[in-house]
């Protein structure tokens, strides 16, 4: 689905979903271990990353003077907290089946707690600037989560490949909520700092760091996977072939998405479709159970 500009003022509702991973195979895209693990990096990064989002936005609440924006931020944090726990369940499942994610997760925890955490001793203007900088990083990351959310909602290749339906529901439920709240972090940044420089700087730093973490995550998972031979390694050719089958986003589309964020007139409402996201949330098996 092509991107359309939508500025729907939705009331963001956390959906307390639950997933049963008892029957999830290690390679939930059949015969596609690399594509499986490229997507599995989400489960390694997101629990700690989204908990960091929540902590940061809770810290920034006193700086918000727009009551409507404040309510949207609260809805955002509610959704992100549930996302973190949903992905944590997959990590627990991996560990129970012989793939220990702890070494990589410890690095992610260090990043979000120590490198990107609050700076003790900073007060006044320095404390405020540090906090706004973290909001800007979150806005940049949320741009890519919205891109990925839009992609997975339209990734028919995963259905054709017979991907595990429970995992698909997790990814599409999460992706739909990312599209649904895609403007919140950006609008919060604009509220605190409407300038262009910080937005560009944090994307220029955050984008490459995110790609680096993802590559490290795929390499880690393929090395730690007890069902793969020791020589199994991810390759760019393998990625391109999987993307050609519709199992992964095309790299060119990912890079083009990042370049859109740098345009002065950019707004996240230009990414994805709120209508499509809300429609999926109205049919998601997990979301339907949570609603009753």
């Amino acid at each position: 689905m092509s991107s359309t500009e939508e500025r729907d003022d939705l009331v963001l509702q956390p959906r307390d979903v639950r997933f049963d991973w008892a029957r999830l195979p290690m390679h939930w895209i059949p015969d596609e271990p690399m594509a499986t693990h490229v997507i599995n990096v989400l489960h390694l990064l997101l629990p700690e990353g989204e908990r960091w989002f929540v902590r940061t936005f809770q810290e920034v609440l006193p700086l918000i003077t727009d009551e409507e924006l404040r309510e949207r931020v609260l809805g955002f944090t509610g959704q992100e907290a549930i996302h973190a726990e949903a992905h944590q369940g997959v990590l627990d499942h991996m560990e129970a089946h012989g793939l220990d994610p702890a070494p990589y997760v410890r690095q992610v925890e260090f990043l979000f707690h120590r490198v990107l955490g609050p700076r003790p001793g900073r007060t006044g203007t320095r404390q405020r600037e540090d906090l706004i900088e973290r909001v800007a990083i979150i806005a940049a990351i949320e741009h890519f989560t919205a891109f990925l959310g839009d992609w997975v909602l339209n990734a028919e290749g995963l259905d054709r490949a017979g991907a595990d339906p429970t995992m698909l529901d997790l990814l599409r439920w999460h992706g739909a909520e990312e599209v649904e709240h895609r403007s919140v972090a950006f609008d919060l940044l604009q509220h605190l700092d409407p300038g262009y420089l910080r937005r560009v700087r944090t994307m220029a730093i955050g984008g490459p760091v995110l790609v680096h973490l993802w590559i490290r995550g795929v390499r880690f998972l393929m090395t730690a996977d007890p069902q793969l031979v020791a020589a199994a390694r991810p390759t760019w050719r393998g990625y391109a072939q999987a993307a050609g089958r519709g199992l992964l986003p095309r790299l060119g589309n990912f890079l083009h998405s990042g370049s859109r964020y740098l345009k002065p007139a950019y707004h996240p409402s230009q990414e994805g479709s709120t209508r499509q996201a809300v429609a999926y949330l109205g049919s998601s098996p997990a979301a339907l159970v949570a609603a009753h």
Side-chain angles (χ1 to χ4, degrees), residues 18-286:
R18 296 287 187 273
F19 298 93
D20 182 0
W21 302 117
R23 298 182 180 180
L24 181 73
M26 181 69 75
H27 305 143
W28 51 266
I29 308 175
D31 303 316
E32 295 281 356
M34 180 180 162
T36 294
H37 286 318
V38 169
I39 298 177
N40 275 346
V41 176
L42 285 167
H43 310 307
L44 302 180
L45 287 173
L46 289 179
E48 284 306 317
E50 291 180 312
R51 290 171 189 138
W52 174 68
F53 292 179
V54 172
R55 293 193 301 270
T56 300
F57 277 20
Q58 288 174 337
E59 192 178 345
V60 84
L61 283 173
L63 303 183
I64 302 174
T65 58
D66 182 318
E67 188 59 33
E68 180 182 341
L69 178 59
R70 178 186 176 87
E71 290 302 313
R72 292 171 62 212
V73 167
L74 290 171
F76 173 97
T77 59
Q79 289 186 338
E80 294 291 341
I82 293 176
H83 294 173
E85 295 311 309
H87 287 276
Q88 183 66 48
V90 183
L91 292 186
D92 297 339
H93 176 80
M94 286 181 181
E95 186 171 7
H97 287 76
L99 196 165
D100 181 10
Y104 184 88
V105 170
R106 282 195 294 268
Q107 297 177 31
V108 175
E109 289 174 344
F110 178 83
L111 172 67
F112 288 113
H113 283 272
R114 298 290 297 276
V115 178
L116 294 175
R119 302 293 185 184
R122 291 190 176 180
T123 59
T125 300
R126 291 187 67 193
Q127 182 184 44
R128 177 187 173 92
E129 284 299 302
D130 173 69
L131 184 52
I132 296 174
E133 193 78 1
R134 282 184 276 145
V135 171
I137 295 170
I138 294 171
I141 295 172
E142 281 289 297
H143 169 77
F144 287 118
T145 59
F147 165 80
L148 292 172
D150 182 51
W151 173 79
V152 78
L153 285 171
N154 296 284
E156 296 176 357
L158 292 174
D159 299 279
R160 290 193 297 269
D164 180 83
T166 303
M167 179 61 77
L168 271 184
D169 189 34
L170 166 68
L171 295 173
R172 287 175 173 159
W173 156 77
H174 187 167
E177 289 200 344
E178 291 297 329
V179 172
E180 185 182 42
H181 70 220
R182 66 196 182 279
S183 299
V184 175
F186 185 89
D187 289 345
L188 177 58
L189 174 61
Q190 294 297 294
H191 178 68
L192 300 172
D193 178 4
Y196 179 69
L197 180 59
R198 193 192 304 265
R199 189 211 319 171
V200 173
R201 183 181 68 247
T202 48
M203 174 57 85
I205 297 171
V209 168
L210 183 62
V211 171
H212 174 71
L213 287 172
W214 213 294
I215 292 170
R216 283 175 58 87
V218 179
R219 289 173 176 168
F220 167 79
L221 286 168
M222 293 194 70
T223 300
D225 186 336
Q227 296 183 17
L228 296 180
V229 298
R233 294 289 185 275
T235 65
W236 288 112
R237 174 177 290 184
Y239 185 102
Q241 290 172 343
R245 295 191 294 275
L247 305 178
L248 298 171
R250 293 184 182 274
L251 288 174
N253 292 345
F254 180 83
L255 295 173
H256 183 59
S257 172
S259 70
R260 287 196 296 272
Y261 188 83
L262 303 179
K263 294 180 179 179
Y266 168 83
H267 190 269
S269 57
Q270 300 160 8
E271 301 289 325
S273 167
T274 301
R275 287 186 294 274
Q276 183 186 30
V278 171
Y280 185 80
L281 292 169
S283 63
S284 157

